[in-house]
Amino acid sequence: MKTFACGTLVPGCTWHTSAEDMSEVVRRAAEHLRIAHDEQEVRPGLIEQIKARVEDVEAIRPQR
C-alpha cells in the first residue's frame, strides 16, 4: 500500500490518500492539487515531486 500526504508538498494541507499502486496515488494527488489548490496544469516536475513523497505504508508502520 502506498500513501501520500499533501502537507509534505503544500504546507498546512491535511489531505492524504492511499492506494495499492503508485499510479493511483499520483492520479488522486494530481486531481486534489487541481481542485483544492487551483493548480491549472499539473506539470511533470510536480508529478515527480508527488512521487518523491509517496511512502510505503508498511515502511511507516511501527515494527512489532
Side-chain angles (χ1 to χ4, degrees):
M1 181 75 68
K2 308 288 186 187
T3 189
F4 170 77
C6 189
T8 63
L9 188 60
V10 180
C13 184
T14 60
W15 182 88
H16 64 278
T17 190
S18 297
E20 287 297 321
D21 58 75
M22 171 81 76
S23 62
E24 180 61 16
V25 171
V26 171
R27 186 196 67 75
R28 291 177 187 179
E31 180 178 328
H32 168 75
L33 288 168
R34 279 192 292 274
I35 294 167
H37 301 295
D38 201 30
E39 282 290 328
Q40 298 299 317
E41 181 181 344
V42 181
R43 295 187 175 97
L46 188 53
I47 296 296
E48 291 306 315
Q49 290 180 32
I50 292 168
K51 287 179 179 179
R53 290 165 172 81
V54 171
E55 297 182 323
D56 287 319
V57 173
E58 291 79 19
I60 58 176
R61 286 185 186 157
Q63 297 295 319
R64 294 181 188 178

